[in-house]
Amino acid sequence: VFEPRYLAMVDAALAGERLIGMIQPAVDRPLVERAVRPPLERVGCLGRITQFAETGDGRLIITVIGIARFTVTEELATTTPYRQVRFDTDRFAADFRPGAGEEAVDRAALLRTLRAYLDHNALAVDWSQFETAANEALVDGLAMMSPCGAKEKQALLEAPDLATRAALLVAITERSLGAGEQGGPAPLQ
C-alpha cells in the first residue's frame, strides 16, 4: 500500500477492528464516467488485516484474509480520502460457515479443467497441493488467481454459492482453452 488515501484507510482499519472492504469500479461503465470518481460494483469482499509491515519508504505491506462478500447498500458522503459504504452480508451468509457447499462442487471437473489449462500453457505446479486442498480453498484460490478479466472476476465473486463459482470457473477456463485452439493461446478475458 503506497497511495496516501489507502495508507489512511489502513491506518483507520488498524485503529479499529482491522476490517476493510475491497470492491472494484463498475466495469460496465464508459471510461469517461469512470475517470473521476468511478461508480462501484454492487458486490465486494470484506476482509480482515491479519499482518502488516512498514517499509523504509513509507509503504505498508499487508495481508488481508477474506471474511465474506457483501452488497453495497449505500455509499457514504465522507471527508476521508478513501471511500466508505454501508453494506449487507445477508445474501452471502454462507460465507461465514467454513466449508459451506463443498460437497456440491464437481471437484473432478475442476481438477480436469485446471490440468488442461496448466498443460495448454506449459505451466508446472506442485500438483499435490491441488489434490489435497479442500474444495472451498481450491475454488476460491483458483478464482482469485485466475487470469481472467474484470467482468469474469466480478461474476465469480457474485456467484451465489461455491458450486456455482466452481462451475463458472470451469466454463470460463474451457472457453479460454477453446478460443486458444482456434487461433493460439487466448487470455482468460
Side-chain angles (χ1 to χ4, degrees):
V1 178
F2 60 90
E3 286 186 49
R5 64 183 168 160
Y6 296 131
L7 289 169
M9 179 189 70
V10 170
D11 283 345
L14 291 173
E17 296 184 37
R18 300 177 309 177
L19 298 174
I20 61 173
M22 295 149 286
I23 192 164
Q24 70 177 347
V27 295
D28 63 344
R29 304 293 174 89
L31 287 176
V32 173
E33 189 178 331
R34 289 188 269 158
V36 178
R37 188 173 174 92
L40 300 172
E41 286 290 348
R42 299 297 298 160
V43 175
C45 186
L46 179 65
R48 179 180 303 279
I49 299 172
T50 57
Q51 292 182 2
F52 75 97
E54 298 178 76
T55 65
D57 59 1
R59 293 178 296 139
L60 291 173
I61 299 171
I62 65 173
T63 301
V64 179
I65 302 295
I67 295 173
R69 294 166 292 161
F70 63 83
T71 302
V72 173
T73 58
E74 173 189 12
E75 183 165 2
L76 303 175
T78 65
T79 58
T80 61
Y82 51 91
R83 296 168 80 169
Q84 296 181 49
V85 300
R86 289 193 200 287
F87 63 92
D88 182 73
T89 58
D90 289 349
R91 179 175 158 200
F92 303 108
D95 290 359
F96 292 104
R97 295 188 314 272
E102 282 194 334
E103 67 285 346
V105 171
D106 185 348
R107 185 180 181 90
L110 187 63
L111 291 174
R112 185 174 50 253
T113 305
L114 172 61
R115 187 177 294 277
Y117 179 80
L118 294 171
D119 290 348
H120 180 79
N121 290 286
L123 299 171
V125 298
D126 179 2
W127 193 250
S128 67
Q129 297 296 316
F130 295 107
E131 291 175 332
T132 59
N135 283 348
E136 182 179 36
L138 183 63
V139 172
D140 289 347
L142 291 173
M144 180 183 66
M145 295 182 298
S146 168
C148 61
K151 286 182 180 182
E152 288 86 357
K153 288 273 189 178
Q154 191 65 33
L156 289 166
L157 183 66
E158 293 183 20
D161 54 48
L162 193 63
T164 304
R165 190 163 38 263
L168 183 57
L169 188 57
V170 167
I172 290 168
T173 305
E174 287 177 344
R175 185 188 76 197
S176 171
L177 291 171
E181 289 172 6
Q182 296 174 14
L188 292 175
Q189 298 201 25

